[in-house]
């Protein structure tokens, strides 16, 4: 294995840049549990302004941000609707049910994206005998579908639909930065006009070491702070982490489009090498190949780290620590690993049997 691996497992594997480390080291801090950390307050105010929400809360992780949002919008025994492959279901340890007592109801969207018609058919008004749908949860971009982007018009149509039925909307915007970079849609359009709550992640795409911010209406803020505390997310001098987020917004947001260029470089190179690759919309590349776990192991031995979200799918995620040279190295290693795996699974070449009933010429 090489000493400097090319790590494409996720855009969460980035290391803080020297400038980010300096910002963290010099951050002005206070006790955030008392609401006294000025750097945390500055980060919350910055993101509230960017997305047009009156309330914002800094939390340790995207999972916590999502789960607080769902508990703000749905009480125990009530229902949320989401895509069948949503992050809140596939990657959050059953938390809606475990911690919120919330029932989930799913519909399969095309490439992870729910259409207004599909949502219209599944929403339930609720009555004395049936559970009503309290919230719709969307994901921007959709992780398991390969970083797909909700068009703004679809979000607006879903918002109009849910408003008529009194259903709230939560957006898991962990990679909303990638949607912004891919479409150049203003962040403000992705915020309050189309959602009641929005969770944005600072460690995906932007390169901060930790932290997410939950955006919401002002009346939710006191309860959100209480829920954060109850989940163990109350921090003290959290400005050290918030400073990394502010630095990322200042220095890394505009470069997110470079990750999309690198994803296309990976896709084109692997396709030219004979691999079956789905066209990336943002910074996630999905490669269809049988025995994906075996390919993951072969590539890791050569210093290229990727994941297999399914038995026949590889996932590659670009980020600010992976440049063009690293992408070319990844293409070389992964293409060779896929070819080697195919050869191994096809077995040894078969030779023609000797004619029966007479001696062969070799004899």
């Amino acid at each position: 294995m090489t000493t400097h691996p090319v790590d494409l497992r996720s855009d969460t594997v980035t290391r803080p840049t020297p400038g980010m480390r300096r910002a963290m080291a010099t951050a002005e801090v206070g006790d955030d549990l008392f609401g006294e950390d000025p750097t945390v307050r500055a980060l919350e105010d910055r993101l509230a302004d960017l997305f047009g929400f009156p309330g914002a809360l800094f939390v340790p992780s995207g999972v916590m941000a999502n789960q607080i949002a769902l508990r703000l919008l749905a009480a125990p025994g009530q229902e949320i609707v989401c895509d069948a492959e949503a992050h809140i279901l596939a990657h959050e340890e059953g938390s809606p049910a475990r911690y919120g007592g919330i029932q989930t109801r799913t519909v399969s969207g095309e490439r992870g994206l729910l259409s207004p018609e599909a949502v219209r058919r599944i929403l339930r008004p609720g009555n004395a005998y049936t559970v009503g749908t309290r919230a719709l949860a969307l994901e921007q971009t959709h992780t398991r579908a390969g970083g797909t982007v909700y068009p703004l018009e679809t979000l607006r149509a879903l918002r109009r639909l849910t408003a008529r039925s009194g259903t709230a909307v939560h957006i898991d915007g962990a990679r909303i930065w990638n949607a912004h970079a891919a479409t150049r849609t203003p962040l403000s359009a992705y915020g309050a006009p189309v959602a009641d709550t929005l969770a944005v992640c600072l460690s995906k795409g932007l390169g901060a070491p930790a932290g997410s911010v939950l955006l919401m209406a002002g009346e939710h803020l006191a309860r959100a702070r209480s829920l954060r505390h109850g989940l163990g997310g109350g921090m003290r001098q959290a400005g050290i982490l918030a400073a990394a987020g502010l630095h990322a917004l200042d220095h890394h947001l505009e470069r997110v489009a470079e990750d999309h260029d690198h994803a296309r470089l990976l896709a084109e190179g692997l396709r030219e090498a004979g691999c079956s690759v789905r066209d990336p919309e943002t910074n996630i590349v999905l490669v269809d190949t049988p025995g994906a776990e075996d390919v993951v192991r072969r590539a890791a031995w050569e210093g290229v780290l990727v994941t297999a979200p399914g038995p026949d799918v590889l996932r590659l995620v670009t980020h600010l620590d992976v440049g063009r040279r690293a992408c070319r190295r990844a293409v070389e290693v992964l293409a060779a690993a896929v070819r080697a795996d195919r050869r191994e699974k096809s077995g040894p070449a078969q030779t023609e049997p000797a004619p029966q009933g007479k001696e062969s010429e070799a004899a």
Side-chain angles (χ1 to χ4, degrees):
M1 185 173 178
T2 62
T3 55
H4 299 288
V6 178
D7 197 338
L8 295 166
R9 291 173 297 172
S10 176
D11 45 5
T12 62
V13 301
T14 55
R15 307 294 177 88
T17 62
M20 183 178 287
R21 290 178 185 271
R22 287 192 295 271
M24 296 171 71
T26 59
E28 186 180 359
V29 298
D31 192 320
D32 183 49
L33 208 59
F34 290 127
E36 296 173 353
D37 191 300
T39 308
V40 171
R41 298 285 83 76
L43 176 64
E44 292 171 341
D45 291 345
R46 174 88 172 270
L47 286 166
D49 184 62
L50 278 175
F51 289 97
F53 282 92
L57 184 68
F58 183 55
V59 298
S61 72
V63 171
M64 186 177 289
N66 283 332
Q67 295 308 316
I68 292 174
L70 297 181
R71 290 174 69 178
L72 292 175
L73 302 179
Q78 294 181 333
E79 173 184 273
I80 63 169
V81 162
C82 61
D83 175 68
E85 291 293 322
H87 190 282
I88 62 171
L89 295 186
H91 299 287
E92 301 193 8
E93 308 293 331
S95 293
R98 181 187 296 185
Y99 301 117
I102 298 169
Q103 174 171 295
T104 53
R105 197 155 170 248
T106 63
V107 58
S108 294
E110 183 178 356
R111 299 176 302 115
L113 310 181
L114 302 183
S115 69
E117 179 58 24
V119 172
R120 185 191 66 79
R121 290 195 301 266
I122 199 172
L123 291 182
R124 290 193 286 215
N127 55 36
Y129 308 102
T130 61
V131 174
T133 305
R134 295 297 304 148
L136 170 68
L138 309 173
E139 191 173 333
Q140 179 79 304
T141 66
H142 196 291
T143 297
R144 292 183 66 82
T148 50
V149 179
Y150 264 104
L152 181 58
E153 284 307 313
T154 301
L155 293 175
R156 288 171 171 166
L158 287 168
R159 181 63 161 173
R160 290 192 296 269
L161 171 67
T162 54
R164 289 196 295 270
S165 64
T167 304
V169 175
H170 170 62
I171 295 180
D172 172 1
R175 291 188 174 91
I176 204 163
W177 323 110
N178 296 96
H180 165 67
T183 66
R184 305 314 301 172
T185 299
L187 292 174
S188 58
Y190 279 148
V194 294
D196 293 277
T197 54
L198 168 66
V200 299
C201 186
L202 301 165
S203 64
K204 292 177 179 175
L206 296 186
S212 288
V213 174
L214 175 61
L215 301 154
M216 70 202 91
E219 61 265 26
H220 287 317
L221 191 54
R223 182 156 183 258
R225 293 182 68 87
S226 176
L227 288 169
R228 181 185 68 173
H229 184 65
L231 291 170
M235 297 181 286
R236 300 298 181 173
Q237 288 71 37
I240 293 173
L241 290 174
L246 286 168
H247 180 89
L249 289 169
D250 288 336
H251 298 281
H252 297 169
L253 179 56
E254 291 304 315
R255 62 142 308 279
V256 169
E258 295 176 20
D259 298 337
H260 301 179
D261 293 339
H262 295 155
R264 286 189 289 270
L265 179 65
L266 287 169
E268 291 164 5
L270 289 168
R271 192 175 290 118
E272 289 172 3
C275 298
S276 176
V277 186
R278 305 180 205 177
D279 289 330
E281 287 189 38
T282 51
N283 68 322
I284 300 177
V285 181
L286 298 180
V287 183
D288 297 301
T289 184
E293 288 287 358
D294 293 331
V295 176
V296 169
R297 285 190 287 271
R298 289 178 187 273
W301 183 254
E302 297 297 328
V304 174
L305 308 180
V306 299
T307 61
D312 301 320
V313 180
L314 299 174
R315 188 181 88 144
L316 294 61
V317 186
T318 55
H319 49 79
L320 61 86
D321 284 355
V322 174
R324 295 180 69 84
R325 180 181 299 180
C327 289
R328 287 192 287 268
R329 171 63 179 159
V331 167
E332 176 186 333
V333 168
L334 286 167
V338 169
R339 287 194 295 268
D341 192 65
R342 288 173 180 170
R343 285 196 300 270
E344 184 176 284
K345 286 180 170 57
S346 66
Q350 299 297 315
T351 59
E352 290 292 328
Q356 298 297 312
K358 63 177 182 179
E359 298 292 331
S360 69
E361 291 182 3

